[in-house]
């Protein structure tokens, strides 16, 4: 099977004897949006630097579209668009001047460069800034510009390392929206982030890295399911009366009930069928249900559980 | 065979792109404009005291040629590599389908070309001045030879400063160290050797004195050149001087390229 991104037993040791990566093997299918999470120093950026030719592995291999990045960097890097950390930009140039150079590096024709510059800048909402000096841009605009550079040549694979780092809430929302668009276009996205909410919102799969090793990897759906608690939170239209609370406790699938105003926290056996039955009983017993949610511990708790005693860091 | 031919073709094209991009950057940062203006203005200053002959006039004006070359090399090569790492522009420049060596080769060539242009402007201004003051017929034939020496010295000066840009982390440090090594360290070393009656033939700044000495007019009255007062007993030999400059150009360029290609964050 051809993977979009694949690494085989990747090891990176630095001269001070620090091992940043200790046998990392990844398999990312085409069209997947994969989150790569872990604490600071886990090896996320090192992996990305190897995948983008910025760093060489001490041993092991990294492939993009089955092309060895170390042996054939030109071919491999042609299929990648990358945003790594918070890159610098040539602030005395305009977006057009900078992107024209990169368009030529990707061997695009003059017409194609013109068209793609317009399309990319439009996508990142910088069309009006095409001929303005980059030095006048805000942090959010700079990040969007570097994303425009990453997608200029319409790559199959997009590698994003902490793409929302240092952005304000609006900037974060803009970048998240862009990643959704890339996902919908069928692009493979490999996203390193320390913001678990971000990863949960846009990724299909999450890979957890700690101390240079992959400690867990699963789909967001499976992780959510595994972290579901045996608790249902129900919000009613009005606060429950004593009588209604009694009727609630009488439902046989419910083990215990905690009521506070119009919200009830119901404990049950955790089976999906039981959850369905409880909802049916509530409706048939004329309870006015506004919302009904199975409580989930979420990705953060999963992160803490797979990282062991490691403190969750930025 | 075919693959290596294609690879070579790619290398040439990528180097060409890098040269073009670097020259655009020098233009947009106005560095080229500043040094070019300097190349035109400095010879004009010598109108304040015009000597008797065209040769003497050219000799005086050319005492500033070497310092101009060093300033220009520092402006264009001082942060060529260190700047990419310090400003983190390497993070958008390197993950692209081009060999890192071609990027660095392009940076070197762009610095050389920009300095060549500055040197050309300096000599053109000087030639026009000499013609205006003394007539076209009085322009010394050795001026062309001096121009060629200046171009060769440009290669050496850019290589030395480029090397420090590859080795050192900070742009300011690499530019200053590169600049001072050519303006102060090597000339001082050359001066000391001459004081103990040793010809510093292997020091590139001593060889660079060929820029004026090829005119055959001795004893420049002033200037920041290598030859300080009371140490005029040695004059660089043409062949050796040119060989030393070429050697510096090659050795420092190759060393700089090797260091730059292996450099990681």
């Amino acid at each position: 099977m051809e993977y979009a991104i694949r690494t085989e037993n990747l090891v990176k040791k630095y001269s001070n004897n620090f091992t940043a990566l200790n046998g990392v093997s990844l398999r990312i299918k085409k069209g997947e949006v994969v989150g790569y999470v872990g604490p600071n120093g886990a090896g996320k950026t090192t992996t990305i630097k190897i995948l983008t030719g910025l760093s060489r592995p001490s041993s092991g291999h990294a492939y993009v579209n089955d092309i060895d990045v170390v042996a054939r960097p030109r071919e491999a890097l042609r299929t990648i668009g990358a945003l790594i950390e918070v890159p610098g930009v040539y602030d005395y140039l305009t977006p057009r001047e900078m992107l024209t150079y990169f368009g030529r590096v990707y061997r695009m024709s003059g017409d194609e460069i013109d068209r793609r510059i317009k399309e990319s800048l439009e996508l990142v909402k910088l069309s009006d800034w095409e001929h303005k000096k980059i030095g006048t841009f805000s942090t959010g605009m700079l990040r969007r510009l570097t994303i425009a550079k990453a997608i200029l040549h319409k790559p199959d694979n997009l590698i994003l390392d902490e793409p929302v780092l240092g952005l304000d809430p609006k900037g974060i929302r803009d970048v998240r929206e862009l990643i959704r668009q890339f996902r919908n276009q069928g692009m493979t996205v490999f996203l390193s982030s320390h913001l678990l909410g971000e990863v949960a919102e846009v990724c299909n799969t999450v890979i957890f890295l700690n101390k240079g090793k992959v400690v867990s990897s699963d789909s967001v759906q499976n992780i959510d399911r595994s972290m579901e608690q045996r608790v249902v939170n129900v919000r009613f239209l009005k606060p429950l009366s004593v009588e209604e609370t009694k009727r609630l406790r009488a439902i046989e699938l419910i083990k215990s009930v905690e009521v506070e105003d119009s919200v009830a926290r119901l404990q049950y056996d955790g089976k999906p069928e039981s959850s369905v039955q409880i909802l049916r009983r509530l409706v048939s017993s004329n309870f006015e249900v506004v919302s009904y949610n199975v409580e989930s511990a979420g990705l953060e708790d999963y992160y803490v559980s797979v990282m062991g005693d490691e403190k969750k860091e930025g | 065979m075919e693959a290596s031919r294609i690879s070579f073709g790619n290398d040439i094209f990528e180097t060409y792109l890098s040269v073009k991009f670097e020259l655009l950057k020098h233009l947009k940062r106005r560095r080229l404009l500043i040094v070019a203006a300097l190349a035109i203005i400095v010879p004009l200053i010598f109108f304040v005291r015009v000597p008797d002959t065209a040769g003497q006039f050219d000799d005086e004006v050319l005492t500033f040629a070497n310092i101009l070359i060093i300033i220009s090399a520092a402006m264009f090569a001082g942060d060529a590599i260190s700047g990419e790492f310090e400003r983190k522009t390497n993070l958008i420049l390197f993950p692209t389908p081009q060999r890192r060596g071609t990027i660095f080769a392009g940076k070197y060539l762009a610095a050389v070309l920009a300095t060549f242009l500055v040197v050309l402007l300096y000599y053109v201004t000087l030639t026009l001045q000499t013609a205006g003051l003394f007539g076209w017929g009085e322009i010394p034939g050795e001026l062309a030879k001096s121009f060629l020496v200046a171009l060769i010295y440009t290669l050496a000066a850019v290589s030395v400063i480029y090397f420090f840009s590859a080795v050192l982390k900070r742009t300011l440090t690499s530019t200053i160290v590169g600049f001072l090594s050519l303006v102060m360290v090597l000339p001082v070393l050359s001066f000391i050797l001459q004081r103990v009656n040793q010809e510093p033939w292997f020091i590139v700044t001593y060889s660079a004195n060929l820029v004026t000495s090829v005119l055959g007019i001795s004893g420049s009255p002033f200037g920041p050149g290598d030859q300080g007062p009371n140490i005029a007993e040695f004059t660089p030999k043409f062949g050796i001087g040119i060989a030393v400059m070429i050697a510096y150009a090659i050795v420092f360029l190759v060393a700089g390229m090797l260091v730059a290609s292996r450099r990681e964050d």
Side-chain angles (χ1 to χ4, degrees):
Chain A
M1 181 177 194
E2 192 183 322
Y3 290 96
I5 293 168
R6 177 164 64 94
T7 67
E8 299 285 357
N9 216 16
L10 218 50
V11 174
K12 177 70 182 178
K13 286 183 181 168
Y14 289 99
S15 50
N16 59 0
N17 255 348
F18 173 68
T19 303
L21 294 179
N22 193 4
V24 170
S25 295
L26 305 173
R27 299 273 187 283
I28 295 165
K29 290 180 204 146
K30 291 192 171 180
E32 263 191 317
V33 178
V34 176
Y36 196 46
V37 300
N40 285 345
K44 304 187 297 287
T45 300
T46 305
T47 311
I48 283 176
K49 283 188 172 173
I50 291 172
L51 282 168
T52 52
L54 281 167
S55 185
R56 293 171 76 92
S58 306
S59 65
H61 296 278
Y63 302 91
V64 177
N65 286 356
D66 270 357
I67 305 166
D68 191 320
V69 178
V70 177
R72 292 159 59 203
R74 267 193 186 118
E75 291 97 313
L77 294 175
R78 198 156 285 156
T79 66
I80 290 178
L83 169 62
I84 300 152
E85 293 177 333
V86 181
V89 281
Y90 304 101
D91 49 14
Y92 38 84
L93 300 180
T94 65
R96 166 157 283 273
E97 287 163 343
M98 188 180 92
L99 295 177
T100 299
Y101 166 69
F102 285 110
R104 291 198 178 117
V105 166
Y106 285 104
R107 303 288 205 273
M108 292 157 71
S109 68
D111 288 346
E112 202 182 354
I113 290 172
D114 276 349
R115 186 173 50 79
R116 282 300 297 159
I117 286 176
K118 290 209 181 307
E119 285 174 1
S120 306
L121 290 180
E122 198 178 318
L123 191 68
V124 300
K125 297 177 187 151
L126 286 176
S127 293
D128 295 340
W129 297 79
E130 186 179 336
H131 299 287
K132 303 259 168 51
K133 270 205 177 153
I134 296 170
T136 61
F137 287 18
S138 68
T139 310
M141 290 164 77
L142 289 174
R143 196 64 50 82
R144 282 185 276 136
L145 175 62
T146 48
I147 291 176
K149 182 257 157 187
I151 58 163
L152 182 71
H153 59 297
K154 280 196 163 181
D156 302 333
N157 312 300
L158 197 57
I159 296 178
L160 305 172
D161 183 22
E162 301 285 3
V164 297
L165 194 68
L167 295 184
D168 60 22
K170 188 186 174 301
I172 292 174
R173 197 186 61 190
D174 290 345
V175 172
R176 189 194 302 149
E177 186 49 43
L178 282 171
I179 297 171
R180 283 209 187 97
Q181 288 186 44
F182 301 144
R183 183 180 66 186
N184 296 341
Q185 288 166 11
M187 209 180 262
T188 307
V189 181
F190 185 51
L191 167 76
S192 145
S193 178
H194 69 285
L195 296 178
L196 296 171
E198 208 59 40
V199 171
E201 280 215 39
V202 296
C203 296
N204 317 116
T205 305
V206 189
I207 297 168
F208 294 86
L209 190 76
N210 194 16
K211 292 177 181 168
K213 283 185 173 179
V214 173
V215 289
S216 178
S217 163
D218 209 339
S219 69
V220 173
Q221 211 176 8
N222 282 348
I223 292 170
D224 270 349
R225 209 171 288 149
S226 73
M227 294 308 281
E228 276 177 3
Q229 306 289 299
R230 296 171 177 192
V231 173
V232 172
N233 287 312
V234 188
R235 178 178 288 277
F236 299 97
L237 190 60
K238 293 172 197 156
L240 293 182
S241 64
V242 178
E243 178 57 32
E244 283 171 323
T245 307
K246 272 186 188 169
R247 277 168 50 210
L248 204 55
R249 290 188 204 281
I251 297 172
E252 61 272 20
L253 290 164
I254 298 174
K255 290 179 178 171
S256 71
V257 176
E258 289 169 37
V259 177
E260 200 179 328
D261 293 334
S262 58
V263 179
R265 198 163 177 271
L266 316 177
Q267 278 213 328
Y268 70 115
D269 61 10
K271 292 177 184 166
E273 300 79 21
S274 304
S275 169
V276 172
Q277 284 300 320
I278 292 168
L279 180 60
R280 277 194 184 137
R281 288 292 301 275
L282 288 173
V283 173
S284 65
S285 306
N286 293 326
F287 281 100
E288 294 175 309
V289 177
V290 176
S291 66
Y292 184 90
N293 299 312
V294 175
E295 201 173 274
S296 172
L299 206 54
E300 263 187 46
D301 291 285
Y302 186 80
Y303 178 100
V304 174
S305 72
V306 295
M307 294 298 170
D309 290 335
E310 288 289 326
K311 265 191 169 180
K312 185 165 75 67
E313 294 172 46
Chain B
M1 191 69 181
E2 179 67 11
S4 64
R5 199 176 58 78
I6 291 170
S7 178
F8 181 69
N10 282 335
D11 285 352
I12 297 290
F13 183 69
E14 286 164 12
T15 306
Y16 160 73
L17 285 182
S18 178
V19 169
K20 227 173 124 182
F21 190 50
E22 286 301 311
L23 288 175
L24 172 72
K25 283 165 32 183
H26 295 327
L27 269 173
K28 297 297 266 189
R29 282 198 281 188
R30 297 204 172 90
R31 289 184 180 185
L32 195 55
L33 194 73
I34 292 165
V35 192
L38 214 57
I40 295 169
I41 292 165
V42 167
L44 299 177
I45 295 168
F46 287 82
F47 274 124
V48 295
R49 189 181 71 90
V50 180
D52 298 335
T53 66
Q56 283 174 330
F57 180 73
D58 288 354
D59 185 60
E60 280 183 22
V61 176
L62 286 178
T63 52
F64 280 93
N66 290 351
I67 188 80
L68 185 73
I69 289 170
I70 297 168
I71 290 172
S72 180
M75 291 277 255
F76 301 125
D79 65 348
I81 295 163
S82 53
E84 295 290 351
F85 286 91
E86 188 179 279
R87 290 189 275 268
K88 288 189 172 286
T89 42
N90 64 323
L91 297 176
I92 58 166
L93 183 63
F94 296 161
T96 49
Q98 51 185 342
R99 235 164 37 83
R100 223 185 267 195
T102 63
I103 299 173
F104 296 138
K107 283 175 175 291
Y108 174 78
L109 287 174
V112 165
L113 285 176
T115 309
F116 274 1
L117 180 70
V118 170
V119 172
L120 179 69
L121 279 173
Y122 194 75
Y123 275 82
V124 166
T125 310
L126 172 61
T127 306
L128 292 175
Q129 268 182 302
T130 312
L133 288 168
F134 303 96
W136 288 100
E138 292 298 312
I139 295 170
E142 290 81 7
L143 197 60
K145 204 170 170 185
S146 165
F147 176 63
L148 284 176
V149 173
L151 293 185
I152 295 168
Y153 182 53
T154 295
L155 293 173
V158 171
S159 287
V160 169
I161 292 174
Y162 179 87
F163 169 76
F164 287 112
S165 177
V167 172
L168 298 171
K169 280 189 175 177
R170 302 225 163 261
T171 54
L172 192 64
T173 322
S174 63
T175 307
I176 289 175
V177 170
F179 180 77
L180 288 184
S181 64
L182 291 175
V183 179
M184 198 184 275
V185 179
L186 292 177
V188 165
L189 195 62
S190 168
F191 174 81
I192 293 168
L193 285 169
Q194 288 181 79
R195 293 293 287 201
V196 294
N197 223 19
Q198 291 289 317
E199 187 185 4
W201 61 269
F202 51 89
I203 294 178
V204 74
T205 47
Y206 171 75
S207 305
N209 288 330
L210 281 170
V211 168
T212 48
S213 68
V214 290
L215 293 180
I217 294 143
S218 60
S220 292
F222 53 84
D226 204 356
Q227 51 206 16
N230 306 323
I231 48 163
E233 56 265 34
F234 294 110
T235 306
K237 288 166 195 72
F238 188 78
I240 295 173
I242 295 294
V244 167
M245 285 193 259
I246 291 172
Y248 269 71
I250 293 170
V251 169
F252 279 93
L253 171 64
V254 171
M257 291 277 283
L258 281 175
V259 173
S261 298
R262 284 154 196 250
R263 191 165 163 173
E264 291 184 6
D265 276 335

